[in-house]
Amino acid sequence: MDCVQHIDSAKVNEGDKKDVELQNQRDESIEGQRLLILTDEQPWKPWKWSRSWVKDFLVGVRCVMGSLMGMEWYCFAALGVLTAFLSFLMDLSVAKLLRAHQWLYSQLEGHCLLQFLCWTLYPVSLSALSTSFSQSICPFSAGSGVPEVRTILSGVDMPHYLSLTNLFAKYVGLICTLAAGSTVFLGKVGPFVHLSTMVGAYLNQLCTVLRGEKEERTEGSMLVVAAAVGVASCFGAPISGVLFSVEVMSSHFALKDYCPCFFAAACGALTFHLLSMWSGEQETLQALFQTSFSDDLPFYPLEIPVFAILGLLCGAGSCVYLFCHRWILLFIKTNKILIKVLSTEKALYSAMVVFLLASVTFPLSAGQYMASKLTIKQLLSSLLDSRQWTSQSHNASVVLQPNLCPWSEWIPSGNPYLTLGFFLFMKLWMLVLACTLPLPAGYFMPVFIYGAAIGRLFGEGLAFVSQNGVYLDQDRNPINPGGYALAGAAAFSGAVTHTLSPALLALELTGQSTHAAPILLATLVANALARSGQQPSFYDALSISKKLPHLPSLLKVCPRLSSVPIGKVLGPGGPVLERAAGPMEVQQVLNTCSQTQIPVVDTLDSRILLGSINRSELQTFLCHNHNKVLKKQLVDMCSIQPVSVQLSPDTTVQEAHGVLSVLCGESLFVTERGRLSGVVTWPEMKRMMADLADDL
C-alpha cells in the first residue's frame, strides 16, 4: 500500500511539474508579445509603409483641423450633414413606396373590390411590418421619442434609447409608417429628433476620443444640438429647429449651446436643400412648401382681429384634441383587453386599427370627402393655396384635371365647406386613434395639417361672407384663405405642444414673411387659451402616460409636487468617509459606490460635513499606502475640497432638480445644521421622480 501511495504521489508531482512548465511557457509567450509591443517589433503586416504614411497623414490633418477650430465643431457639422442625408434618404424611399401604391391603385380602376383590397391591405402590411420589425429589434423604438429625449436632456440616464439597435429599428420602422400614407396620417418630426439625438450621442463619443479626453455625460451639448438638427433636417428650417430645442427639449437651455445649435442646424438645412435640388425635387434653394401669396397687400389691418379670433378657435380645438388624447391614453392603460393585446400581439393591433382607418378613407366611399388620395405633402400644399375654392369650384377645367390642381380633391361636389368640415370631424378621432399605434411615428405634422384645415375652412367662410373680397377705398383685394390656413396650422400645433416655434416654422416652411404678425398673434392667443386650464401639453401627456421621470411634465398634472421637500423622499445616505479614514475604509467606499465626489465628515457619529474628495485622489491615496508599513490617514495625504452649494432637507424636489441641472453636476449634498443628511445624484433624482410618477 505504501508503494502504491508513493507511486501515485510521484505521478501527481510529475503532473504538477508539467502544468507548471506549460504555465511558464504561456507566461514566456505573453511576455514575448509584450516585449514585441514595447520594442515596436510588430509581426509582419502587408503595406507597412503605406499604412504608416496614411496614419501620419491623418495625424497631420487632425493637427491642422484642431488648429483651425475645436474638434467638437467638426462633429457639429458632421451631425447636421449626416442627419440631413438620413432625412433625404427616408423621403426618397417613402416617395417611391407611395408612388407604387398609387400606381397599383390606378391600374385596378374599374374593379371596386380589388381597389378596396389594394387601398387597405397595402398600409396594413406596412404598419404591421413597422410594428413587428421595430418591436422585435428594439422595444424602445415605438412612438415619437421626444418625451424620452426630453427626459434624457433633463439629466436622467436612459442608455437604451440611444443605442445603435434603436437607431436602426426606428429608421426602418419609420419608413414603413410613412409609406402607409395619409391613411394612417402620421409624420416623422418627433422620431427624427430622436434619430438625430442617437447620431449625436455616438458623434459625442467620437469627439471625446479624438480629443483624448474621458467620456463625458451624453446629456451634454451634443444632444441639445441634435434636437435642433432633427427639425432643421426635416423641413430645412434651422431657426425654428433651434427654437424647438429651446422650448420643447431643454428645461434649462445653456447659452453656450446657442451658437452650436445654429451652426449644426444651418449645416443640416443647407445639406437637405442641396440634396433636394440635386435630386430634381427643387430647382433652387427655396422653401419646402412654396406659396404664391401677394406681397403688395397680403391682408388688411381690419383682418388682424379676425386672426385673433382664429387663434381662439384653434385654442379651443386644441383643448378638445388634448382631452381626447389624454382619455385614449388612460383608456388603453386601464382596459384589460387592450392591455393583453398590446402586450402580446402588437402587430395584430396595428393591423386592425390601420384596416379600420383605411376602410374609412377609401376614395370610392367616405374618403372622397376627405381628400384621401392626397399625400401628407399634397394635403398641406393644397390647403395653403391662395385661391378661393368657392370661386374655382365652378371651373370645369380645374375639376376635370385633379393632377394639375391637387386642391381640386377638396371640391368633389363643388362645396369645399362640406369636405373641410367632414375632414375635420373624421380626422379628429382618427388621429387620436392613430396615436395609440405601437410603431415609430411622429404626431406634429398631422396636427399642423389639421390646424391648416381649420384655418382654411375659416378663411373660405370669411371670403364667402364678405362676398369674395374686402373693399377699402374702392380698391378690391380678395381675401387670401391660404394665409388663414397658415395661421391656423401654426396656432393649432403651437397650442397642442404649448410652444411658439410652430409660428416661425410656418414662415420658414413657406417663405412667407408677410404674414409674420398675424401668425404670431394667432399662435399667442391659441397658446394662452390652451395653457389657461393648466393642462399638460401633448408631449407632457405622453411622458405622464409612460411614467417617465420628467419633472416638468409631472408638475403639469400635479402642481403640488413643487412643494414636496427633498428630505421627505430622499433615500438612505450613501457611503461617506471620515477625515481619519485609512486604506481599508477608502477601499470599501470605492468598491461600493461609483460617485465622482465622495463626502468627507468629521466623524461617522457627528456627520459634520467637511467637504468632498475626488475619486481619483482616493485611488492615488491607496497606491501610496499599498506597500507602506506605517499607514497614513486620509487627511494626511488628500486635500478636502469645500462644498460651495448645499441643500437643506426643506428644499423642494423642483428646486433640487433645477440646481442639479443648472450646475451640470453629478451630486449635491443635503445638510441640516452642518450634518450630512444625504446625497442627491442623478440616479437618486431619477428614483425620486419615478416614485412621484407612480403615486399619481
Side-chain angles (χ1 to χ4, degrees), residues 628-647:
K628 292 183 179 180
V629 178
L630 184 60
K631 305 296 183 181
K632 292 188 177 181
Q633 295 180 350
L634 185 67
V635 70
D636 298 330
M637 297 185 60
C638 298
S639 59
I640 301 176
Q641 302 294 330
V643 179
S644 57
V645 178
Q646 300 180 23
L647 301 180

Side-chain angles (χ1 to χ4, degrees), residues 424-487:
L424 292 174
F425 172 75
M426 297 297 290
K427 286 297 182 181
L428 178 63
W429 67 266
M430 292 172 68
L431 181 56
V432 171
L433 184 61
C435 291
T436 64
L437 294 174
L439 44 73
Y443 312 112
F444 177 81
M445 200 61 184
V447 169
F448 194 83
I449 294 175
Y450 191 88
I454 295 177
R456 185 76 200 194
L457 179 60
F458 187 82
E460 291 287 346
L462 185 64
F464 177 78
V465 171
S466 61
Q467 296 180 353
N468 296 327
V470 174
Y471 298 91
L472 188 64
D473 296 334
Q474 297 181 353
D475 291 332
R476 181 180 179 182
N477 189 67
I479 286 179
N480 179 12
Y484 287 93
L486 190 60

Side-chain angles (χ1 to χ4, degrees), residues 196-238:
S196 180
T197 55
M198 286 186 270
V199 175
Y202 282 92
L203 285 177
N204 182 50
Q205 296 179 5
L206 177 63
C207 184
T208 56
V209 171
L210 291 176
R211 290 185 298 185
E213 298 177 355
K214 295 182 179 180
E215 186 176 353
E216 299 177 353
R217 291 175 58 87
T218 57
E219 299 86 356
S221 301
M222 187 64 77
L223 295 191
V224 177
V225 173
V229 173
V231 177
S233 300
C234 282
F235 304 118

Side-chain angles (χ1 to χ4, degrees), residues 386-402:
S386 59
R387 290 167 291 189
Q388 296 179 9
W389 293 349
T390 51
S391 60
Q392 297 292 326
S393 61
H394 304 289
N395 191 342
S397 61
V398 171
V399 177
L400 294 176
Q401 295 179 346

Side-chain angles (χ1 to χ4, degrees), residues 283-307:
E283 296 180 358
T284 183
L285 300 181
Q286 60 184 11
L288 190 60
F289 296 93
Q290 196 69 25
T291 55
S292 57
F293 294 174
S294 174
D295 295 332
D296 298 333
L297 190 59
F299 58 89
Y300 281 107
L302 292 177
E303 294 183 66
I304 295 293
V306 182
F307 279 101

